[in-house]
Amino acid sequence: DTGVSQNPRHKITKRGQNVTFRCDPISEHNRLYWYRQTLGQGPEFLTYFQNEAQLEKSRLLSDRFSAERPKGSFSTLEIQRTEQGDSAMYLCASSLGRAGGEKLFFGSGTQLSVL
Amino acid sequence: DAKTTQPPSMDCAEGRAANLPCNHSTISGNEYVYWYRQIHSQGPQYIIHGLKNNETNEMASLIITEDRKSSTLILPHATLRDTAVYYCIVRIYDYKLSFGAGTTVTVRA
C-alpha cells in the first residue's frame, strides 16, 4: 500500500483566514478519521467517515470546522475564520472497518500555525 | 472506554528488551488493548492489539494478565529507531481511539 497521504505538510495562515487540508486514504479502506494533536498531548478524535457518510463528530469540532468525503475517497477538512487556538497537527487515518480489532493507519499530518 | 495508566517515561539500552507496562483496571470484557507509537513529527503507527490472549508480531509482543487489568508491551531487541512515544489504548468502539499522554521511551546506545 502507498500509505495515507496528507497535504499540505505545513500551513501557516493569519487569524481569520480559511484553510483546507486534504487526506488521501489507503485505496481499499472504507473508513477515514480526522484527529488533532497539540504539542505534548496525544491525538484527539475529531470525526469519522464510513465511506462518504460522516457518522460522528467530536464536541471539539466547532461550527467553524467542516469535513467532507465525497464519493468515499479522499477527504477534506476546512477550518473557517481560523483562531490561534486552532494551531495544531491535524492527522488523518484510514482503516478497513472490520468489526473490533482493526488497525488504523495514520498519515504524517498537516501542521497548522495560525499567526 | 476504559482509562489507561502508563509511566511518563522510561529508558532502555540498545539491544535489550524494553518492557512497557500499562494499567487498565476498569477494562470491560469486550474491550481490546491496543498499542500505537509515535515517532517525532510522524503520525501514530499501529504496533499490536489483543483481547485476552498474548499476541506476537514482527514488531512486538503483547502480554495481557489473566484478569485483563494490565498488560505489557515487549520490544524484544530495542534499537535507536524505537525511540518514540508509546500509547496504550483500550477501546470498545471500533472507530475512536482515546490517546492519553503515553510513555516516552528513549533507547540509548
Side-chain angles (χ1 to χ4, degrees):
Chain A
D1 69 71
T2 58
V4 176
S5 177
Q6 292 190 247
N7 287 288
R9 285 298 312 275
H10 303 275
K11 179 70 177 179
I12 300 173
T13 191
K14 293 182 179 179
R15 186 165 51 93
Q17 298 294 305
N18 299 342
V19 294
T20 299
F21 312 138
R22 177 179 171 122
C23 172
D24 288 274
I26 294 171
S27 58
E28 67 269 25
H29 286 184
N30 60 0
R31 290 188 175 179
L32 186 147
Y33 314 77
W34 285 98
Y35 283 77
R36 181 173 72 184
Q37 185 173 25
T38 53
L39 198 61
Q41 304 296 316
E44 297 172 294
F45 171 81
L46 291 180
T47 189
Y48 132 81
F49 291 84
Q50 171 94 15
N51 299 313
E52 67 275 9
Q54 188 174 16
L55 297 187
E56 182 166 334
K57 293 192 288 187
S58 163
R59 287 177 303 218
L60 294 173
L61 217 62
S62 75
D63 292 343
R64 297 183 296 106
F65 288 71
S66 63
E68 293 182 345
R69 192 183 183 199
K71 303 178 183 177
S73 56
F74 71 91
S75 176
T76 58
L77 178 68
E78 181 184 15
I79 309 174
Q80 295 182 326
R81 306 181 302 283
T82 53
E83 302 173 355
Q84 288 184 328
D86 297 331
S87 295
M89 173 77 81
Y90 290 84
L91 293 159
C92 175
S94 69
S95 72
L96 276 172
R98 291 196 181 106
E102 64 172 323
K103 308 174 189 179
L104 268 62
F105 293 83
F106 283 83
S108 295
T110 294
Q111 181 67 53
L112 173 66
S113 298
V114 181
L115 305 178
Chain B
D1 291 340
K3 188 174 180 178
T4 62
T5 303
Q6 298 179 253
S9 63
M10 60 184 296
D11 286 359
C12 176
E14 188 178 23
R16 303 294 295 269
N19 297 309
L20 282 63
C22 180
N23 286 321
H24 31 79
S25 59
T26 60
I27 191 170
S28 62
N30 54 354
E31 288 181 308
Y32 287 80
V33 179
Y34 282 79
W35 284 85
Y36 281 75
R37 73 179 182 183
Q38 189 171 24
I39 296 169
H40 183 61
S41 298
Q42 297 181 22
Q45 177 189 23
Y46 167 87
I47 301 173
I48 199 166
H49 75 278
L51 185 61
K52 296 180 182 177
N53 300 322
N54 297 337
E55 302 288 345
T56 295
N57 64 19
E58 66 279 3
M59 289 182 69
S61 295
L62 173 61
I63 308 298
I64 303 174
T65 58
E66 192 169 344
D67 62 7
R68 303 209 326 121
K69 293 183 185 298
S70 66
S71 61
T72 300
L73 178 75
I74 301 173
L75 307 176
H77 305 286
T79 71
L80 298 179
R81 288 176 294 181
D82 292 322
T83 292
V85 179
Y86 287 76
Y87 298 100
C88 171
I89 301 163
V90 173
R91 94 177 187 187
I92 183 171
Y93 297 112
D94 57 3
Y95 59 80
K96 188 191 301 186
L97 296 177
S98 296
F99 291 85
T103 296
T104 299
V105 174
T106 303
V107 181
R108 302 191 185 279

